[in-house]
Amino acid sequence: MKTQFKFLLSFLIIILHLRIYAQVNEEQKINDLLSKMTLKEKIGQLVQFSFVNSEREELIREGSVGSFLNITNPKEVNRIQKIAVEESRLGIPLIIGQDVIHGYNTTFPIPLGETASWNPELVKKAAEIASWEAASNGVHWTFAPMVDIARDPRWGRIAEGSGEDPYLGSVMADARVRGFQGNNLKEKRNIVACAKHYVAYGEAIGGKDYNTVDMSERMLREVYLPPFKSAVDAGAGTLMSAFNDLNGIPASANYFTLTQILRNEWGFDGFVVSDWNSIGELVNHRFAKDKMEAALKGLTAGVDMDMAGDEQTGNVYLPNLESLVKNGLIKEELINESVKRILRIKYRIGLFDHPYIDSVYFKQNFISKEEREKVALQLSKESIVLLKNEDELLPLKKDIKSIALIGPLADNQEDPTGPWSTAPIFENVVTVLQGLKNKLQSGTRINYLKGCNINDDDRSEFDKAVKTAGESDAIIIVVGESRDMSGEASSRSDIGLPGVQLELIKRIYETGKPIVVVLMSGRPLTIPWLSENIPSILETWFLGDQTGNAIADVLFGDYNPSGKLPVTFPRSVGQIPIFYNYKSTGRPPDEKNKFTSKYLDIPITPQYPFGFGLSYTTFDYKNLKLDKTSLWKSDSVLVKIDVSNVGDVAGSEVVQLYIKDWFSSVTRPLKELKAFNKIHLEPGETKTVEFKITPNMLSFYDEKMNWIVEPGKFDVMIGGNSEDLISATFEVTK
Ligand code: GLC
């Protein structure tokens, strides 16, 4: 035993030495290269353009550009890389960036939908596949994961993130970074991640994209920063600074967040790229009087690379940094620091070793189409949330004689890929119509009709749709948003069903036939009438390639829906902002008491709460036990709970753990998600689920912004959503 232990110990020491040597060796190489670079060549590394032309080819030869984005043709990538490596003086390779947000050729559910699976392992797998496909097409770097917490569904970019909760957002940030980057960034199939948009972009006033953000440091640190910290801890090589103003200092020139927190507190050693012309936009913020001052403020704050503006706006660093150095307004050391960070990432992703796309490698090492489709289908199924299922209308019987399939998204191969699909292959998208055909025997008649468009007032097919519905045994209506109604620059003031879709549903409802509504959207929609009148409702987000197969599996019971909402569904846009982890206030909302924090004209509860999702079976929670109910600050509490499947079909349940801090020296949310565990239970099966409550889970920023555990009473609350919970109390004594 002793010899084995000795062998293991010496093996680990060797590995550690090798890693340290590699790091030192890497830093040595960076410093050597830096020492050879002219100021012009250093500035070039801080410059990114979005397309190539003859002038920019010349800049590549001069070493005056270090990166491109949106170069989607592998041959073009190799062509311009060849110029950089073989025709410039120092041969520093270009790093090619691309928005690979939820798949490259294989399109997975939008990130908000993936998050609804509460399955980080599967989300990581999808990112791995996206990385593989992107890398084989010449992408080195993805501008993802987008980790912005979003609590206002009017904001279109809620589609790109992981919803409203910092813990869930942190878990998904970790999964996606590890999926994109793999265990070894030098592996040719891996690409470097970019956590964005740093920081607090999702708190834009009114949910209006690019709008002002103003919040306390406590809110910043407790809600908006954790997913970025999680991405950095997972090893993300880059971050992207945001467009928004943050407490009076634009995020792309905010020294406090970009240097004080990111570098000095977190020790991040990668690089920060601006968002598209977000440095140049400091002039629009009226925070810089011209592009020269914008360059000065951006670099000084800690933005290392200037992402191209368009032809009109152009770059800010390229034309201004040299004179800023020559006029003594910026020290060359500051530029050196940014260059080193960028070179560090170029070394880490192996660009100096293999700057060109290695097609032989990808021919020999590629994930099969079957495996990609299998992961896409599983993740799509797990992303679907069953919002309502009155009288167990679902699952439908496969021997049903006739089905009316109606709606503008029922036979649609583009919109289900959602916003920010990268290089989608639309013909690969399985529509709901095709999914039903794949699922049902020829004996079932599928009466398909579009019925209306997504967003106009054409009612010409209404009568025909009502007739089709009347002739069928059951009706499936597929409605929602188009893919360009969420994502960037897509905030909506009214988040109901667009166009005349709701009118069509009401007309069909009059037939009295059983109706299932399938929603496709990039955000929560306000659906009070549907919630009131329609027996079964699925939220399917935008599921990508496997849309129709996943939805058909759920509709006909071949997959028991397990999705849970990563974001609250408001009853009306007037309820916004509405999120689960709100504070008590001095007058906690009380339906029976007018003089409490609420609206006169709408219930205090949301349409559907955070963490909510139904199943075709029922899960029962009992025997919540703690290994101690009194503890010191440094102790942990072991929690056990029995979860049983008391129905007659197998299913998966996301067991969620929330913590409530009864009283504290600063006001705290009524509850906060601190852990979850997705389990699978056969009918009649019971599992004991265990959690460990650590001091960190009880901590918060006190009045002086110290991260502390305060003595006092706490509740641990566990359940299948953020409202139906069973709880137990424990006390931190000192
Ligand atoms: C866009 C987006 C950002 C994206 C970048 C490059 O404006 O804000 O998320 O990565 O530009 O496309």
Side-chain angles (χ1 to χ4, degrees):
M1 184 59 181
K2 258 181 101 175
T3 29
Q4 277 172 325
F5 177 73
K6 274 186 182 168
F7 171 77
L8 181 65
L9 191 62
S10 43
F11 177 72
L12 288 175
I13 289 166
I14 292 166
I15 291 293
L16 189 63
H17 273 108
L18 283 174
R19 290 192 69 156
I20 291 168
Y21 170 73
Q23 197 117 19
V24 168
N25 190 26
E26 179 184 274
E27 290 303 310
Q28 195 55 52
K29 283 179 184 171
I30 292 167
N31 290 324
D32 288 351
L33 183 49
L34 187 73
S35 65
K36 298 175 190 138
M37 294 171 78
T38 64
L39 177 58
K40 200 184 268 294
E41 288 164 337
K42 291 175 183 176
I43 292 168
Q45 288 302 304
L46 316 188
V47 172
Q48 177 185 61
F49 280 116
S50 64
F51 64 87
V52 187
N53 56 25
S54 52
E55 181 208 339
R56 289 178 182 173
E57 285 181 17
E58 204 37 49
L59 287 173
I60 297 173
R61 285 187 191 90
E62 291 167 12
S64 286
V65 53
S67 174
F68 280 87
L69 73 148
N70 298 334
I71 310 291
T72 51
N73 176 330
K75 288 192 174 59
E76 180 65 352
V77 168
N78 277 342
R79 186 185 73 81
I80 62 174
Q81 190 67 291
K82 198 165 163 31
I83 298 173
V85 172
E86 298 175 23
E87 296 180 33
S88 75
R89 191 176 74 88
L90 293 170
I92 300 173
L94 299 166
I95 182 169
I96 306 295
Q98 183 79 43
D99 291 287
V100 184
I101 310 294
H102 54 106
Y104 189 82
N105 295 127
T106 303
T107 304
F108 297 101
I110 56 171
L112 189 63
E114 288 182 346
T115 306
S117 72
W118 295 55
N119 186 340
E121 266 316 298
L122 201 48
V123 169
K124 178 175 170 235
K125 187 76 192 150
E128 282 171 13
I129 293 170
S131 173
W132 217 322
E133 290 181 347
S136 68
N137 283 282
V139 177
H140 306 127
W141 171 30
T142 176
F143 305 129
M146 187 274 216
V147 301
D148 301 309
I149 294 296
R151 310 197 290 191
D152 188 330
R154 291 172 293 182
W155 191 49
R157 305 202 77 166
I158 194 169
E160 302 171 43
S162 294
E164 71 189 49
D165 180 71
Y167 175 74
L168 181 57
S170 300
V171 169
M172 292 299 165
D174 177 274
R176 289 183 174 118
V177 167
R178 294 181 192 280
F180 288 129
Q181 300 195 163
N183 299 324
N184 170 12
L185 253 181
K186 282 189 168 46
E187 179 69 59
K188 293 172 185 170
R189 50 168 276 202
N190 296 327
I191 59 180
V192 64
C194 180
K196 71 184 186 182
H197 306 80
Y198 190 68
V199 61
Y201 181 28
E203 187 65 17
I205 295 175
K208 214 166 15 177
D209 207 357
Y210 317 118
N211 206 4
T212 304
V213 172
D214 208 294
M215 66 174 71
S216 69
E217 183 182 342
R218 177 170 294 103
M219 166 112 83
L220 181 67
R221 287 184 179 274
E222 289 193 348
V223 179
Y224 290 88
L225 282 169
F228 286 95
K229 179 68 167 55
S230 176
V232 167
D233 290 348
T238 72
L239 266 71
M240 179 185 291
S241 66
F243 290 120
N244 55 282
D245 174 10
L246 173 60
N247 299 341
I249 312 290
S252 290
N254 195 307
Y255 183 87
F256 175 63
T257 53
L258 289 162
T259 296
Q260 170 55 34
I261 292 179
L262 184 60
R263 305 277 178 197
N264 301 346
E265 289 182 25
W266 296 356
F268 176 63
D269 70 353
F271 73 84
V272 175
V273 63
S274 76
D275 200 338
W276 180 277
N277 193 41
S278 63
I279 299 173
E281 288 178 6
L282 297 178
V283 180
N284 300 344
H285 279 287
R286 298 173 31 245
F287 183 74
K289 63 181 180 306
D290 55 26
K291 294 285 175 76
M292 175 82 75
E293 189 179 24
L296 170 65
K297 291 192 166 185
L299 192 77
T300 310
V303 181
D304 302 302
M305 185 184 281
D306 172 18
M307 176 185 284
D310 50 30
E311 266 316 274
Q312 287 65 43
T313 49
N315 265 139
V316 174
Y317 281 3
L318 182 59
N320 293 296
L321 286 185
E322 191 168 357
S323 42
L324 284 167
V325 173
K326 294 229 175 354
N327 299 334
L329 294 169
I330 281 187
K331 289 191 176 0
E332 190 163 345
E333 285 68 46
L334 194 66
I335 291 184
N336 292 348
E337 277 314 302
S338 292
V339 175
K340 284 162 69 174
R341 292 167 187 154
I342 292 165
L343 292 179
R344 186 172 298 132
I345 297 302
K346 289 187 175 183
Y347 272 110
R348 282 191 188 157
I349 63 176
L351 266 182
F352 287 89
D353 306 327
H354 48 80
Y356 304 112
I357 305 168
D358 183 344
S359 46
V360 172
Y361 165 87
F362 286 107
K363 274 205 182 61
Q364 291 160 354
N365 300 279
F366 211 70
I367 186 165
S368 70
K369 184 169 179 293
E370 293 68 31
E371 176 62 17
R372 285 178 276 160
E373 287 176 352
K374 187 165 146 257
V375 171
L377 176 57
Q378 186 60 27
L379 184 49
S380 298
K381 289 191 288 191
E382 294 197 30
S383 300
I384 294 172
V385 182
L386 179 59
L387 297 177
K388 189 180 174 189
N389 194 28
E390 211 166 67
D391 308 330
E392 298 186 340
L393 169 62
L394 289 177
L396 299 172
K397 304 264 179 295
K398 288 179 187 170
D399 60 359
I400 188 167
K401 286 283 165 286
S402 62
I403 285 177
L405 176 65
I406 298 170
L409 287 156
D411 186 25
N412 180 325
Q413 284 192 300
E414 283 208 18
D415 287 309
T417 61
W420 285 112
S421 49
T422 309
I425 302 172
F426 292 123
E427 56 270 24
N428 286 354
V429 174
V430 180
T431 66
V432 177
L433 175 58
Q434 190 53 54
L436 295 187
K437 287 178 180 170
N438 295 344
K439 176 66 61 187
L440 297 173
Q441 291 78 15
S442 52
T444 303
R445 199 173 67 249
I446 302 172
N447 304 316
Y448 164 69
L449 186 77
K450 189 175 176 184
C452 69
N453 295 314
I454 292 174
N455 192 19
D456 67 15
D457 58 2
D458 177 358
R459 297 173 177 79
S460 57
E461 277 201 346
F462 274 29
D463 293 345
K464 203 170 164 204
V466 172
K467 184 171 177 304
T468 304
E471 292 161 356
S472 307
D473 294 337
I475 303 151
I476 299 168
I477 305 180
V478 188
V479 290
E481 296 180 317
S482 58
R483 60 195 286 244
D484 60 4
M485 296 177 91
S486 59
E488 184 175 357
S490 304
S491 296
R492 292 179 64 202
S493 68
D494 171 354
I495 55 173
L497 279 174
V500 295
Q501 298 180 86
L502 182 58
E503 268 185 60
L504 173 63
I505 297 170
K506 289 181 176 178
R507 284 284 310 278
I508 292 170
Y509 176 75
E510 286 159 16
T511 63
K513 295 281 180 146
I515 297 180
V516 180
V517 168
V518 176
L519 295 171
M520 290 190 189
S521 62
R523 56 162 57 85
L525 298 176
T526 45
I527 51 171
W529 188 88
L530 295 183
S531 297
E532 185 65 31
N533 297 288
I534 298 299
S536 295
I537 304 171
L538 291 175
E539 172 57 63
T540 70
W541 320 104
F542 291 113
L543 294 174
D545 286 5
Q546 292 299 319
T547 293
N549 289 332
I551 291 172
D553 276 351
V554 167
L555 288 173
F556 289 92
D558 288 336
Y559 183 75
N560 182 358
S562 61
K564 300 284 185 179
L565 293 179
V567 63
T568 301
F569 269 53
R571 294 174 185 273
S572 85
V573 79
Q575 265 192 329
I576 296 169
I578 182 169
F579 42 86
Y580 87 91
N581 45 359
Y582 59 87
K583 297 187 175 182
S584 302
T585 76
R587 299 212 173 175
D590 175 352
E591 295 290 12
K592 300 186 188 66
N593 180 345
K594 175 180 168 72
F595 297 90
T596 60
S597 177
K598 63 178 186 175
Y599 298 102
L600 284 177
D601 53 358
I602 203 165
I604 57 180
T605 53
Q607 194 74 63
Y608 301 105
F610 173 81
F612 175 81
L614 297 175
S615 169
Y616 293 150
T617 188
T618 306
F619 298 102
D620 185 37
Y621 289 73
K622 54 184 182 304
N623 302 333
L624 174 55
K625 291 196 179 68
L626 311 182
D627 71 338
K628 57 178 83 70
T629 54
S630 172
L631 58 142
W632 288 10
K633 286 183 196 174
S634 55
D635 289 339
S636 297
V637 185
L638 291 180
V639 183
K640 289 184 182 179
I641 187 159
D642 292 341
V643 183
S644 306
N645 177 348
V646 295
D648 48 19
V649 290
S652 295
E653 171 71 333
V654 180
V655 182
Q656 302 159 41
L657 181 145
Y658 297 83
I659 293 286
K660 173 182 178 181
D661 185 347
W662 275 76
F663 302 101
S664 44
S665 58
V666 296
T667 55
R668 314 271 305 108
L670 264 175
K671 64 184 81 158
E672 294 175 289
L673 178 73
K674 293 293 181 183
F676 63 85
N677 186 347
K678 186 166 189 176
I679 60 172
H680 182 82
L681 291 173
E682 291 302 317
E685 186 183 6
T686 294
K687 276 183 183 163
T688 300
V689 181
E690 297 187 5
F691 295 100
K692 182 178 180 184
I693 299 175
T694 63
N696 195 50
M697 291 159 75
L698 306 179
S699 302
F700 65 96
Y701 288 99
D702 69 2
E703 195 178 354
K704 294 188 173 47
M705 294 308 289
N706 300 310
W707 182 249
I708 61 155
V709 177
E710 220 167 46
K713 268 172 59 175
F714 292 84
D715 275 356
V716 51
M717 304 178 282
I718 299 183
N721 64 67
S722 61
E723 288 189 359
D724 307 317
L725 300 161
I726 59 174
S727 68
T729 302
F730 61 91
E731 182 153 14
V732 174
T733 50
K734 61 179 176 180

